[in-house]
Amino acid sequence: MTSKRPTIDDVARLSGVARVTVSRVLNGGPNVRDEVRARVMQAVEQLDYKVNPQARSLAGGASRLLAFVFASDPENDPNSYYESALELGALRACLALGYQVLVQNVPEQTPDSHKRVLDLITTQRCEGLILSPPYSDDVALIEAVLAQGCKVVTVSPGGPGKGKADGVGVDDEAGGYDVTRELLRLGHRRFGFIAGLEGHLSADRRLKGFQRALAEQGLGEGDCVILRGDFTFRSGTHLASRLLDHALKPTALVCANDDMAAGVLSAAHARGLNIPADLSITGFDDAPVAAIVWPPLTTVHQPVKVLGQRAVELLVARLTGANVRPEPVFEQLEHAVVSRQTTTAR
């Protein structure tokens, strides 16, 4: 004997809200308080409620397929946590909303990168696209997608792309500023900074926040060394050697993500340095690696899984007409400095 599948009414009863509110949440609609949205999604998970995508597709004649576009570089390893966490958040939202998501890695440096993205609309019949950095900053690409009549949402846009389409992200500049202020409060005055890939505007804003915090304390170019990495553990280990051998002798190294910070930490251990007594290190993202390296890494937490979830919900809101506002909507999520054991007073 099979048990009865839960219905939308069951979700409404368990979460204590009206059926229409559940529908609005499941369709990514606006005007729902965060606390109510969380209660509904908790009920969906508890009941293992699933929207029937076949029924919706037959009713609307739509593919119910979204695409999540990531930039890939065959010369470098991917930023594994960031991409996988975004993907997981998107998958969970799609499961609840009755959509499917196609994850597509498109090499950024190839001349046909735009065509490969646009082909997702014509050949895969994707109803909407989610663009991650650096594609989320590519105004020409965003405009080309919209010209095809396809909906688009950007994740962590750091430049002009922020005003071209709906988007979701954190204040990267404020994150870089806040973690640097914490190091300044601890007495550090000589810094190294490992930035991200050139053209990755959200990471560049972390650098901008770092520089703003230094400037407020009367510090400038003579008090810091800035090198550019590629977000990988390998680049962190490689660049750490250059920073540690620099004449400035930084007492604190700020990294644009946790993978590079973990690489710095590994290089410091190899030299026999005592962390954090000899060197303070910080990252950005609050990836799982930040809590399992030794010592655990001080970093900036951004809710990456929620970014993926909200990207899908914003996109579905446009597709279903739940959001009819003519202007693009940007949703800024909260960040926080997580102080662990790789930072100390100087």
Side-chain angles (χ1 to χ4, degrees), residues 12-344:
R13 276 193 293 272
L14 182 59
S15 57
V17 301
R19 189 179 194 272
V20 66
T21 302
V22 175
S23 179
R24 187 177 294 121
V25 171
L26 295 180
N27 283 296
N31 303 322
V32 180
R33 298 196 311 276
D34 290 343
E35 179 268 331
V36 173
R37 189 185 302 277
R39 211 162 67 226
V40 170
M41 295 307 293
Q42 183 178 4
V44 166
E45 186 172 345
Q46 183 176 334
L47 293 170
D48 195 24
Y49 173 76
K50 294 179 176 63
V51 179
N52 188 331
Q54 288 79 18
R56 279 189 167 182
S57 181
L58 288 172
S63 68
R64 315 292 295 181
L65 180 63
L66 312 177
F68 210 138
V69 180
F70 293 95
S72 63
D73 182 351
E75 299 299 320
N76 293 311
D77 299 325
N79 181 354
S80 54
Y81 167 72
Y82 183 77
E83 293 188 10
S84 62
L86 282 175
E87 182 180 341
L88 180 59
L91 285 168
R92 287 175 175 172
C94 282
L95 180 62
L97 299 173
Y99 281 77
Q100 293 180 303
V101 61
L102 170 67
V103 176
Q104 191 72 21
N105 286 282
V106 179
E108 184 194 4
Q109 303 303 327
T110 57
D112 66 340
S113 60
H114 282 200
K115 179 181 181 301
R116 293 193 191 192
V117 174
L118 295 173
D119 281 348
L120 296 170
I121 305 169
T122 55
T123 63
Q124 300 292 333
R125 295 186 63 240
C126 293
E127 290 188 68
L129 303 185
I130 301 170
L131 303 179
S132 68
Y135 287 123
S136 55
D137 298 311
D138 191 331
V139 173
L141 176 60
I142 295 170
E143 290 177 341
V145 172
L146 294 172
Q148 295 272 7
C150 184
K151 306 298 184 185
V152 62
V153 166
T154 59
V155 174
S156 299
K162 190 173 181 179
K164 291 294 182 179
D166 291 343
V168 60
V170 300
D171 190 333
D172 288 288
E173 182 179 346
Y177 174 85
D178 290 344
V179 75
T180 307
R181 285 280 297 174
E182 175 62 15
L183 290 167
L184 289 164
R185 185 189 67 79
L186 291 171
H188 293 276
R189 294 298 183 268
R190 301 194 309 274
F191 292 85
F193 190 97
I194 300 182
L197 288 164
E198 189 170 2
H200 196 296
L201 299 186
S202 62
D204 284 347
R205 290 180 69 82
R206 298 169 193 176
L207 171 58
K208 186 176 179 181
F210 164 80
Q211 292 171 319
R212 178 162 63 92
L214 294 190
E216 287 182 358
Q217 294 296 312
L219 305 177
E221 292 182 3
D223 305 292
C224 64
V225 185
I226 300 171
L227 300 177
R228 192 170 288 280
D230 61 14
F231 298 116
T232 64
F233 178 94
R234 181 179 59 191
S235 72
T237 58
H238 172 68
L239 294 175
S241 296
R242 291 175 57 187
L243 287 166
L244 293 172
D245 290 335
H246 196 277
L248 179 68
K249 299 189 181 305
T251 64
L253 298 186
V254 181
C255 303
N257 80 332
D258 289 337
D259 284 353
M260 293 192 296
V264 169
L265 185 58
S266 176
H269 284 319
R271 288 188 174 222
L273 295 180
N274 184 340
I275 306 300
D278 297 330
L279 180 71
S280 287
I281 303 169
T282 67
F284 202 109
D285 283 342
D286 199 16
V289 69
I292 62 177
V293 293
W294 183 257
L297 182 67
T298 294
T299 187
V300 178
H301 173 80
Q302 63 167 335
V304 184
K305 293 175 187 176
V306 181
L307 289 174
Q309 173 190 327
R310 288 301 297 146
V312 167
E313 291 171 349
L314 288 171
L315 189 53
V316 170
R318 288 292 187 187
L319 291 170
T320 60
N323 183 1
V324 295
R325 292 170 60 179
E327 71 279 4
V329 174
F330 181 79
E331 187 170 306
Q332 184 169 294
L333 304 184
E334 294 297 318
H335 70 275
V337 175
V338 181
S339 295
R340 295 195 176 101
Q341 297 173 41
T342 56
T343 50
T344 191

